[in-house]
Amino acid sequence: MVDGRPQLTAAPVLPDGVVVESSADGTWLLPDAARIEITGRAGEVELIVRDGPKAVLSWTPEEVVLDRTAFIGIDDSFPSRERMPLPVTVTGSLTLVVDRGSVEVFAAGGSRTLTDLVPWNGPVTLVPREPTTRESIAVQALT
């Protein structure tokens, strides 16, 4: 039930992963495929390719936003900012599945999902931004 109504929910079906530890600066170098669990009612993380494009994921109790406007030179319509409204009964956690071509976001217990293409051109680093902390993020390698 979501907001008192029956609703279809989704959850990623993934193998057990190997924990990826953050580096000393509080960032993670992501493997080719990763599951990322984030807790907290509001926050922001960046997915960055060194000297290249980045995607910014931010969330509040009202919505999740995936911003890939830094991806230029692909096609004029590619850079975008996707918004996903959240139900009133938000659980305060997100699950991300990131691989070399996409980012999938599962929010509000799977009642809201968002998928976007992100053609990374190198290794991706996950960088938490305030108020998101290293302790609120868990990363698992899926490969």
Side-chain angles (χ1 to χ4, degrees):
M1 298 286 260
V2 177
D3 291 339
R5 297 184 318 224
Q7 184 169 349
L8 182 65
T9 60
V13 177
L14 302 169
D16 289 337
V18 176
V19 172
V20 176
E21 298 294 333
S22 64
S23 41
D25 65 358
T27 65
W28 287 262
L29 182 60
L30 297 181
D32 287 343
R35 177 187 187 131
I36 303 163
E37 298 288 340
I38 304 174
T39 57
R41 291 186 47 83
E44 183 174 287
V45 295
E46 293 179 338
L47 299 159
I48 302 172
V49 175
R50 190 175 75 171
D51 302 326
K54 69 178 179 179
V56 179
L57 178 73
S58 59
W59 63 97
T60 66
E62 293 81 33
E63 72 177 350
V64 174
V65 178
L66 182 59
D67 183 341
R68 61 178 192 172
T69 56
F71 282 86
I72 56 174
I74 296 171
D75 178 87
D76 289 344
S77 64
F78 188 82
S80 66
R81 185 174 290 118
E82 312 301 334
R83 296 181 179 284
M84 176 174 58
L86 296 175
V88 175
T89 55
V90 173
T91 62
S93 66
L94 300 173
T95 299
L96 281 64
V97 179
V98 178
D99 61 21
R100 291 293 174 213
S102 65
V103 173
E104 293 185 84
V105 182
F106 299 82
S111 68
R112 301 293 189 268
T113 61
L114 177 94
T115 302
D116 243 342
L117 297 176
V118 282
W120 309 114
N121 59 1
V124 178
T125 301
L126 175 70
V127 181
R129 297 288 179 217
E130 290 293 332
T132 308
T133 64
R134 175 190 327 197
E135 293 75 27
S136 65
I137 298 173
V139 178
Q140 291 184 353
L142 298 175
T143 56

